């Protein structure tokens, strides 16, 4: 065992990281040492065009009800909203009518339970940083408890010095010596935490997995019934790519065998970046809404000694992401959607874009908080009547990127965007109460928009 790998394993064991997670890290480390670049060249791929469409699936309420009682909703909830200046789980951010992401997720699950008279647990994959606050937030929802634990905790891996691939030391903040192994850790964490065996022992067969900040990702019983009927081991929901999705991971097929594969931007050789972004060629992007047959996962883990061997992503950063002069490091990561290349018989399913509603920046948050979206029964968030797509919002990051600055510039709440196509704000702009935006609106600061102002198709 190489020195860097030996030191990394010892560090992980000292930290109490589970053996399956260590084995997965060892597998990725050895592949990196052997020269694997973690890339998927365009020459090895072909477009994935003929995919089943969710809109054409049969509607069988009885089959859906039977399958739903053996299903579990898993939400990836390990991220702090650091990019927006938060220091707690992003899912605890208020998003609509005084509710947080987790509040609405809980309402969605409870509504499905009532309608189908199903068990349907809600389980979070937390990090150590998000666990306590998130569980406390869920505890406020009556009747949400189930017959399995409410969460399990994701693993972590050491950052490696770029020059010698030894685990990096950073006395200024030892926590920065560790990195999340990407959401591909889902499968390992299910195993190391004991959650996978617990779910199977309680009779659960299928997991619907999605990000906690994606309120469009509501478990769809018709999709579940289709999966159960066809005994599909793994399904990835994909949506049509637009110009806004040029850098998002897309699904394709291997040229040598026709099996499906997920390619992320970080896995694309520089010479293939143009082809990666050809949305007419690679038409479908990964929504990160996945369906996993837990029995199939258990069998695959057993057959592979606990190591799925997902395609590796080599992420090159600095040990302190906020300090570009700090030592260069390598982070070995995987994407959970990459399991489409591991499960024999895995499928991709085309779904409406409404099932992809993530919030990565305050540009995404403002339309959700506005009247461009409405809150329906059962915690469902939908576009307002008459809208086919969300308004495009472009806020000056210098003044709106951090949530505290964002909130300070909308002290009376968001403007009306129900009739807006685009809102672009440059400079320091504060919005008064009852502001209405219509059509394409561009605003330059510094300035304050007065109460009741109507901005329509103009530069103001």
């Amino acid at each position: 065992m190489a020195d860097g790998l030996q030191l990394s394993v010892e560090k992980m064991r000292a930290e109490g990281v589970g053996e399956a997670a260590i084995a997965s890290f060892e597998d990725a480390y050895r592949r990196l040492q052997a020269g694997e670049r973690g890339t998927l060249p365009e020459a090895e791929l072909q477009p994935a065009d003929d995919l089943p469409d969710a809109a054409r699936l049969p509607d069988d309420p009885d089959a859906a009800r039977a399958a739903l009682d053996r299903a579990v909703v898993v939400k990836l909830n390990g991220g702090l909203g650091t990019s927006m200046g938060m220091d707690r789980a992003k899912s605890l951010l208020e998003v609509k009518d005084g509710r947080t992401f987790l509040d609405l997720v809980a309402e969605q699950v409870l509504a499905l339970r009532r309608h189908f008279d199903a068990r349907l647990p809600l389980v979070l994959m937390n990090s150590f940083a998000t666990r306590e606050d998130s569980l406390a937030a869920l505890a406020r929802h009556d009747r949400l408890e189930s017959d399995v634990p409410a969460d399990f905790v994701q693993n972590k891996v050491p950052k490696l010095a770029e020059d010698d691939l030894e685990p990096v030391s950073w006395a200024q903040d030892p926590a920065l010596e560790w990195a999340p192994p990407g959401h591909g850790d889902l499968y390992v964490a299910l195993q190391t935490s004991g959650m996978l065996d617990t779910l199977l022992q309680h009779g659960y067969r299928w997991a619907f997995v999605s990000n906690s900040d994606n309120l469009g990702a509501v478990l769809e019983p018709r999709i579940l019934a289709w999966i159960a009927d066809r005994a599909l081991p793994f399904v990835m929901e994909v949506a049509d790519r637009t110009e806004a999705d040029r850098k998002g991971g897309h699904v394709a097929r291997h040229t040598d065998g026709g099996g499906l594969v997920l390619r992320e931007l970080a896995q694309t050789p520089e010479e293939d970046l143009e082809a990666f972004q050809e949305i007419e060629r690679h038409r479908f992007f990964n929504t990160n809404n996945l369906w996993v047959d837990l029995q199939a996962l258990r069998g695959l883990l057993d057959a592979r000694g606990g190591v799925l061997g997902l395609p590796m992503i080599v992420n090159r950063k600095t040990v302190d992401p906020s300090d570009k002069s700090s030592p260069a490091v390598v982070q070995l990561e995987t994407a959970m959607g990459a399991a489409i290349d591991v499960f024999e018989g895995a499928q991709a399913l085309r779904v409406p874009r409404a099932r992809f509603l993530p919030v990565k920046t305050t540009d995404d948050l403002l339309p959700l908080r506005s009247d461009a979206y409405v809150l329906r029964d059962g915690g469902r968030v939908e576009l307002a009547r008459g809208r086919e797509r969300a308004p495009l919002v472009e806020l000056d990051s210098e003044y709106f990127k951090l949530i505290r600055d964002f909130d300070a510039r909308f002290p009376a709440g968001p403007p009306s965007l129900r009739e807006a196509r685009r809102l672009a704000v440059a400079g320091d702009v504060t919005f008064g109460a009852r502001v209405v935006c219509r059509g394409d609106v561009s605003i330059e600061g510094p300035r304050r928009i007065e109460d009741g102002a109507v901005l329509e198709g103009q530069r103001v």
Side-chain angles (χ1 to χ4, degrees):
M1 188 180 294
D3 289 343
L5 180 53
Q6 178 71 52
L7 292 170
S8 297
V9 169
E10 291 173 355
K11 184 169 184 171
M12 293 175 79
R13 286 205 173 108
E15 194 72 10
V17 177
E19 287 300 317
I22 293 174
S24 292
F25 175 83
E26 288 182 78
D27 175 69
Y29 191 105
R30 289 194 177 97
R31 283 191 279 157
L32 179 67
Q33 271 195 320
E36 186 173 324
R37 298 169 57 197
T39 59
L40 288 169
E42 183 68 20
E44 298 177 6
L45 303 177
Q46 60 185 6
D49 291 326
D50 298 326
L51 299 179
D53 194 321
R56 299 177 181 174
L57 298 183
D59 190 8
D60 187 340
D62 291 336
R65 182 172 286 104
L68 203 68
D69 199 52
R70 301 183 64 196
V72 55
V73 172
V74 177
K75 291 288 182 177
L76 306 187
N77 193 58
L80 301 173
T82 51
S83 63
M84 292 190 284
M86 297 177 62
D87 58 1
R88 59 177 185 160
K90 185 169 67 174
S91 61
L92 300 180
L93 180 66
E94 181 182 325
V95 63
K96 194 72 180 170
D97 296 357
R99 273 97 138 190
T100 67
F101 287 104
L102 272 190
D103 288 332
L104 293 174
V105 166
E107 290 182 29
Q108 292 167 358
V109 169
L110 289 171
L112 283 165
R113 283 188 190 176
R114 289 192 298 270
H115 185 77
F116 288 92
D117 191 24
R119 295 181 294 171
L120 194 61
L122 170 61
V123 174
L124 305 181
M125 184 170 85
N126 279 317
S127 64
F128 289 105
T130 63
R131 187 173 197 230
E132 184 175 351
D133 287 346
S134 296
L135 291 180
L138 286 187
R140 293 194 289 270
H141 290 270
D142 294 337
R143 302 156 72 94
L144 191 60
E145 286 189 5
S146 68
D147 55 355
V148 298
D151 82 323
F152 60 102
V153 178
Q154 68 186 43
N155 294 295
K156 56 184 180 179
V157 296
K159 296 177 183 178
L160 305 173
E162 189 175 50
D163 54 355
D164 59 11
L165 297 184
E166 291 189 1
V168 71
S169 295
W170 194 241
Q172 293 92 320
D173 185 355
L176 292 177
E177 298 174 6
W178 298 90
H183 41 61
D185 181 55
L186 166 74
Y187 312 106
V188 181
L190 278 168
Q191 178 171 260
T192 56
S193 67
M195 178 61 78
L196 177 57
D197 288 336
T198 297
L199 289 170
L200 290 170
Q201 288 163 7
H202 283 78
Y204 295 104
R205 173 76 181 270
W206 298 280
F208 173 57
V209 186
S210 60
N211 296 326
S212 61
D213 69 352
N214 180 9
L215 292 175
V218 183
L219 185 149
E220 173 51 60
R222 190 164 63 167
I223 296 177
L224 175 60
W226 172 72
I227 291 170
D229 177 65
R230 297 201 170 198
L232 297 173
F234 182 96
V235 172
M236 172 193 293
E237 295 187 17
V238 299
D240 294 354
R241 288 174 99 193
T242 67
E243 288 295 326
D245 312 305
R246 288 165 59 88
K247 295 184 178 181
H250 69 78
V251 67
R253 293 189 185 278
H254 289 292
T255 55
D256 57 0
L260 290 167
V261 63
L262 171 67
R263 180 169 66 167
E264 302 281 1
L265 183 63
Q267 295 172 292
T268 307
E270 187 173 352
E271 62 269 21
D272 290 335
L273 290 178
E274 185 175 343
F276 176 92
Q277 297 182 70
E278 288 183 10
I279 61 176
E280 296 82 9
R281 174 173 170 79
H282 297 297
R283 295 170 46 205
F284 304 108
F285 74 93
N286 171 29
T287 65
N288 234 28
N289 302 343
L290 306 178
W291 301 79
V292 182
D293 182 327
L294 299 175
Q295 290 182 5
L297 175 60
R298 174 79 276 166
L300 198 57
L301 287 167
D302 289 345
R304 296 189 172 208
V307 178
L308 289 184
L310 298 180
M312 179 177 57
I313 300 173
V314 180
N315 214 334
R316 300 184 185 277
K317 297 188 176 185
T318 54
V319 64
D320 182 348
S322 66
D323 180 3
K324 299 306 177 185
S325 67
S326 61
V329 297
V330 170
Q331 296 177 195
L332 300 181
E333 303 177 7
T334 57
M336 68 178 186
I340 199 169
D341 194 25
V342 175
F343 285 87
E344 186 175 352
Q347 184 60 274
L349 177 69
R350 183 186 183 197
V351 298
R353 194 178 182 92
R355 291 186 61 76
F356 182 68
L357 193 59
V359 174
K360 304 303 179 187
T361 67
T362 53
D363 289 0
D364 303 321
L365 180 62
L366 185 63
L368 264 179
R369 283 189 174 178
S370 80
D371 58 358
Y373 284 90
V374 294
L375 182 60
R376 304 293 188 193
D377 290 343
R380 293 176 181 260
V381 176
E382 300 174 358
L383 283 168
R385 189 184 302 276
R387 290 207 67 105
E388 294 184 357
R389 62 183 61 185
L392 175 64
V393 171
E394 300 167 311
L395 303 174
D396 192 321
S397 61
E398 183 175 352
Y399 300 98
F400 291 88
K401 178 179 180 179
L402 303 181
I403 193 67
R404 65 172 181 271
D405 297 334
F406 173 86
D407 286 339
R409 286 165 175 79
F410 298 102
S416 170
L417 299 179
R418 185 167 187 150
E419 299 176 68
R421 286 187 298 272
R422 176 175 175 266
L423 171 63
V425 180
D428 188 1
V429 179
T430 299
F431 288 72
R434 304 180 307 284
V435 174
V436 176
C437 298
R438 294 176 179 152
D440 294 287
V441 177
S442 297
I443 306 171
E444 294 183 0
R447 63 173 299 173
R448 184 184 189 280
I449 307 299
E450 298 300 321
D451 293 354
V454 178
L455 313 176
E456 185 169 4
Q458 58 186 313
R459 180 177 292 277
V460 295

